[in-house]
Amino acid sequence: MGGEQSKPAAEAKLPDLGAERFQKYNFPFENIVMEGGGAKGIAYIGAVKVLEDAGIMKNIKRFAGTSAGAITAGFLAAGMTAQDVLEVMNKTDMPKVLLDGRYWLVKHVGALYDLLNNFGVYRGSSFLDWYGDTLREHFEKKSAESEELKQKYKALTGDINFGQLYEALGVEFCTVAYNTQVKRENYFHVKTSPLLYMREAVRMSMSIPVVFQPYKVEDKETAAHWIDGGVCANFPVYCFDGWWLSMDEGNCFHERLGEKQDRDTVRRAFLPAYSHERFTPGGDDGEKKAKRMKTLGMLLYSEGDPELYQNQFDARVRNFTDQNQELKKDSIKPDTEKRRAYDENSRKMEALEKEKRENLMKSLAMKTKLDEVKKWFPDEDSMRDCFDDRMTKEDVQIITADVDSDLSDEEEYEKARKKAFDSLFINFKGDLTKGTTENIFDNWAPMTMAASDCLKSSFIRTPGELYTTYLDFVGKSKPIREDDVDRCVGIDVDYIGTGDFDMSPEDKTFLMMQGAIATVAFLEEFIKKNGLKPEK
C-alpha cells in the first residue's frame, strides 16, 4: 500500500482479427439490422470492428435494430465507430443508467408505487438523457475535427430527429416499438416519423414491459403508450426489403395509401395477417434475392437460449475456428465470476438431468413387464396378480414417484403396490383401462426422452432470472426464415444473459471477440458461397 499507486481499472478491448484482407472484395451490403438482446448486445461492437476493417461499414446507409439492437444501430447511424461505442460503454455505469440510479428506499418503495401507478418499475429518464447526451457529445466532437465536418454536423445539435439525421448524413435509421393504443408495431424511420427524436425512438424500443414504464411522446391521458419492440419484432431483418421504408418516389405513402388506392388495399397494409406484404421485395426471383442481400443481419444466441438454425451458425464458426485453434470458444472464455456461476449452474443441471434420464430409462425398462400385465385385460384380478408377480420394489417406487420410501414392511409394500397399479390401470371413474400405460410409453416417455436430448435446462433462482426467460421467449417473435441464414451473422454469447449489464471488462472482451469471430466466419463463407473474386 504505502506509496503504491492504485492500478487503473481494466477496460474491455476491441478484437483485431486482421479483417483488412476482406477489403479486396465487393460485398453487396448497404443495410445493417441488429436483434434485441439486452446486455448481450455488447457483442455487436466486435462485429462492427470487423466490418470497419473489411471496408464494409463505409457502404452502410441504413441502420435498424430493436431494443439493445436499436441502441447500437442508432450510435452507428450517427457515425460512431466501434471504438467510439466501446469508449462510451467503458465509461458508463449501465445498471445505474438503466435503473435510474434508484437506491434502497426509492428502489423498494418508489418502484412499487411506479409499478402500480405508472405501469413499470423504472422510468427510463436516465437512459433518455444518457442517450441524447452521448449523441450530442459525438456530434460536437466530430464538428471540431475539421471545417468540412463542422459544416456537415453543424445542424446536429441538441435533440436530433430522424429527418435531421437523414438530411445531414444521408443515412436512414429504423427502430421498432409496440403501440398499445392501436395494438400494432411501428417502424420509426425518416419516412414514417421524420420529426421523432432519435433518443425517444430508442427509449420506446427498449421499454421492456413491467421493468420500464411505457414511453409517451406527449404528456396526455389519450397519448399512446409505447413498449419494447421485442414483444412483436425483436429482429426486423426484413424491414428494408419491401416498399414500406423505401425512399423511392414511387413508394411514397401518398401513392401507396392515398386517394388513388381502395380501402381494402390500404387496410391490408396494417392488418397483421397481411402486414408482411409491406416488407416483401418486388421483381423476379433474382431481383428479390439481390434486394434482400443488401441487408446484413446480426442476431444473438446461446446453448441455453437456442436460435432457429443455430446448427448452421455453429457450423460456420466451427469451419473457421478449426483453422484457427486459438480462437475456439473454450480457448478464449475468461475465468470470471459470471462464467464460474454459469458453469456451476450447468454442472448442477447436468447432474439433475442425468438423474432424471436414468429414472426415465428405468421406467422404460418396465414396458415389457407392463405389456404382460395388459395381456390379461379386462380381467382385473389376473392383471393385479401378474403386476404383483412381475414388478419389483424399485419398480413400485418409480411408479409412485417415491424412490426414498422404505417398503420393508409388507403391509406398506402392499399399499404401495396397489397405489402403483391403480395409477396405471384405473381411471378417474374407477374403471379398468389400458389407455394410461399406452399413452405413457407411446407418447410421454418418448417425448420426454427427445426433449432431454434437445433442450438445455437452467436454474431459476431470482425473480430477475425468471423475467429474463420471459424476455428471451418474446424476443423470438417473428423468427428468421431459412433463406435469412445466408445474410445473417449469428453470434454465440455463451454464458452471458440478457440482464447481465454488470459484467466485467473480461466478459465484455469475450463477447466482442465472439462477435468478431462470427463476422469473419460469415464473410469467409459468403465469399465462397457467392463466388466473390478479389478486385484489382
Side-chain angles (χ1 to χ4, degrees):
M1 306 255 298
E4 290 185 5
Q5 293 183 344
S6 59
K7 294 182 179 180
E11 291 188 341
K13 293 181 173 58
L14 282 173
D16 184 357
L17 297 184
E20 292 82 1
R21 66 183 185 276
F22 295 113
Q23 291 181 12
K24 57 189 176 184
Y25 295 98
N26 185 21
F27 292 96
F29 310 120
E30 298 176 7
N31 320 318
I32 192 167
V33 180
M34 297 177 168
E35 182 186 38
K40 298 179 291 188
I42 291 288
Y44 293 141
I45 304 175
V48 171
K49 174 64 164 56
V50 169
L51 297 179
E52 290 173 348
D53 293 344
I56 293 173
M57 281 304 296
K58 69 180 187 300
N59 299 323
I60 304 296
K61 298 300 180 184
R62 309 173 97 189
F63 303 81
T66 299
S67 197
I71 296 174
T72 303
F75 285 152
L76 299 177
M80 294 176 68
T81 64
Q83 184 63 44
D84 292 333
V85 178
L86 178 59
E87 288 176 1
V88 169
M89 294 301 177
N90 275 336
K91 70 179 183 181
T92 301
D93 183 347
M94 287 308 297
K96 184 176 181 180
V97 167
L98 291 168
L99 307 183
D100 294 303
R102 307 181 82 163
Y103 296 105
W104 199 80
L105 184 62
V106 176
K107 179 179 178 181
H108 291 81
V109 180
L112 179 61
Y113 175 86
D114 280 331
L115 177 61
L116 297 176
N117 293 276
N118 296 318
F119 314 108
V121 174
Y122 300 106
R123 300 171 186 175
S125 55
S126 294
F127 174 86
L128 189 67
D129 292 340
W130 169 78
Y131 201 83
D133 289 343
T134 300
L135 290 177
R136 177 178 49 77
E137 291 170 5
H138 167 69
F139 292 137
E140 290 176 351
K141 177 182 176 182
K142 296 297 290 184
S143 296
E145 290 181 5
S146 68
E147 187 61 33
E148 180 183 355
L149 289 176
K150 182 178 181 180
Q151 294 301 314
K152 185 176 182 179
Y153 284 91
K154 67 178 181 180
L156 300 178
T157 57
D159 265 341
I160 312 302
N161 62 38
F162 284 81
Q164 291 171 320
L165 184 75
Y166 181 68
E167 291 173 8
L169 304 184
V171 301
E172 302 169 38
F173 175 47
C174 172
T175 69
V176 185
Y178 186 79
N179 184 333
T180 59
Q181 194 173 51
V182 297
K183 302 177 181 64
R184 297 289 184 274
E185 72 257 34
N186 198 87
Y187 295 81
F188 298 120
H189 179 262
V190 61
K191 184 177 178 181
T192 63
S193 317
L195 300 181
L196 180 66
Y197 295 128
M198 287 180 65
R199 67 179 184 130
E200 288 188 311
V202 174
R203 166 66 178 85
M204 292 179 201
S205 189
M206 49 78 69
S207 300
I208 302 170
V210 180
V211 177
F212 291 102
Q213 295 174 17
Y215 190 77
K216 297 174 70 173
V217 178
E218 297 179 292
D219 188 19
K220 296 180 181 178
E221 185 177 352
T222 55
H225 289 76
W226 296 93
I227 62 175
D228 195 322
V231 305
C232 53
N234 198 45
F235 185 37
V237 67
Y238 50 81
C239 68
F240 295 126
D241 290 347
W243 68 269
W244 190 258
L245 299 184
S246 170
M247 296 297 285
D248 294 342
E249 186 175 347
N251 286 324
C252 71
F253 291 131
H254 176 70
E255 293 290 329
R256 290 278 188 165
L257 304 177
E259 296 177 358
K260 297 181 180 180
Q261 300 293 338
D262 61 81
R263 290 299 92 189
D264 286 340
T265 299
V266 174
R267 289 182 70 248
R268 284 174 71 95
F270 298 99
L271 292 175
Y274 302 102
S275 61
H276 66 279
E277 295 176 357
R278 300 177 291 174
F279 303 108
T280 300
D284 58 31
D285 289 345
E287 292 171 326
K288 289 180 180 179
K289 181 179 179 180
K291 180 75 172 179
R292 295 179 71 255
M293 293 312 291
K294 289 183 178 182
T295 293
L296 175 61
M298 293 189 173
L299 56 87
L300 309 161
Y301 69 89
S302 66
E303 186 180 6
D305 177 29
E307 176 60 67
L308 199 60
Y309 309 112
Q310 176 176 331
N311 59 324
Q312 291 172 251
F313 294 124
D314 284 338
R316 177 192 292 163
V317 170
R318 188 165 55 251
N319 289 338
F320 170 65
T321 55
D322 281 347
Q323 307 301 318
N324 301 270
Q325 292 289 322
E326 73 281 3
L327 296 179
K328 281 190 172 291
K329 188 167 63 172
D330 288 340
S331 300
I332 63 175
K333 265 201 288 193
D335 182 22
T336 62
E337 182 180 347
K338 287 195 178 296
R339 191 248 171 116
R340 290 191 295 272
Y342 178 87
D343 288 347
E344 179 62 24
N345 180 28
S346 297
R347 283 191 290 270
K348 290 180 180 178
M349 285 308 308
E350 286 173 4
L352 291 173
E353 288 295 322
K354 181 180 179 182
E355 181 181 359
K356 179 180 175 181
R357 186 179 180 84
E358 289 173 349
N359 289 334
L360 183 59
M361 293 296 290
K362 292 177 182 178
S363 298
L364 289 171
M366 290 187 284
K367 185 178 187 304
T368 303
K369 299 178 183 179
L370 294 173
D371 284 343
E372 293 181 25
V373 175
K374 286 192 296 181
K375 288 179 181 178
W376 294 99
F377 186 87
D379 185 343
E380 182 177 341
D381 290 338
S382 296
M383 289 179 68
R384 287 188 182 274
D385 289 341
C386 183
F387 183 85
D388 292 346
D389 289 341
R390 299 291 187 271
M391 309 308 288
T392 66
K393 288 184 178 181
E394 184 181 20
D395 294 334
V396 171
Q397 288 175 314
I398 292 173
I399 295 170
T400 58
D402 190 7
V403 294
D404 296 323
S405 61
D406 180 11
L407 298 182
S408 57
D409 182 79
E410 188 60 34
E411 185 176 343
E412 290 298 319
Y413 180 38
E414 184 177 348
K415 289 181 182 179
R417 220 168 41 226
K418 182 180 185 302
K419 179 181 177 182
F421 180 90
D422 290 350
S423 67
L424 293 177
F425 295 106
I426 303 297
N427 66 18
F428 72 97
K429 296 179 181 178
D431 299 330
L432 194 67
T433 179
K434 295 188 296 181
T436 300
T437 54
E438 290 174 349
N439 202 25
I440 287 174
F441 289 101
D442 292 342
N443 292 303
W444 173 80
M447 180 274 294
T448 304
M449 186 69 75
S452 68
D453 291 337
C454 299
L455 304 177
K456 181 179 176 63
S457 301
S458 61
F459 282 115
I460 301 298
R461 296 159 296 187
T462 66
E465 290 176 345
L466 178 62
Y467 199 73
T468 296
T469 63
Y470 162 72
L471 297 179
D472 291 334
F473 166 72
V474 299
K476 298 307 176 185
S477 59
K478 294 187 179 176
I480 63 172
R481 302 178 305 182
E482 187 168 11
D483 56 1
D484 286 321
V485 173
D486 289 340
R487 62 170 176 170
C488 287
V489 176
I491 304 173
D492 180 0
V493 297
D494 199 77
Y495 62 92
I496 299 297
T498 303
D500 289 338
F501 291 100
D502 59 340
M503 70 183 87
S504 69
E506 292 80 9
D507 294 320
K508 294 178 183 178
T509 298
F510 168 73
L511 270 184
M512 291 189 293
M513 178 60 82
Q514 286 294 93
I517 290 171
T519 307
V520 171
F522 168 84
L523 294 177
E524 289 196 349
E525 182 182 89
F526 191 91
I527 290 170
K528 293 178 182 178
K529 280 191 171 184
N530 293 276
L532 297 189
K533 302 297 182 183
E535 297 194 349
K536 294 181 180 179

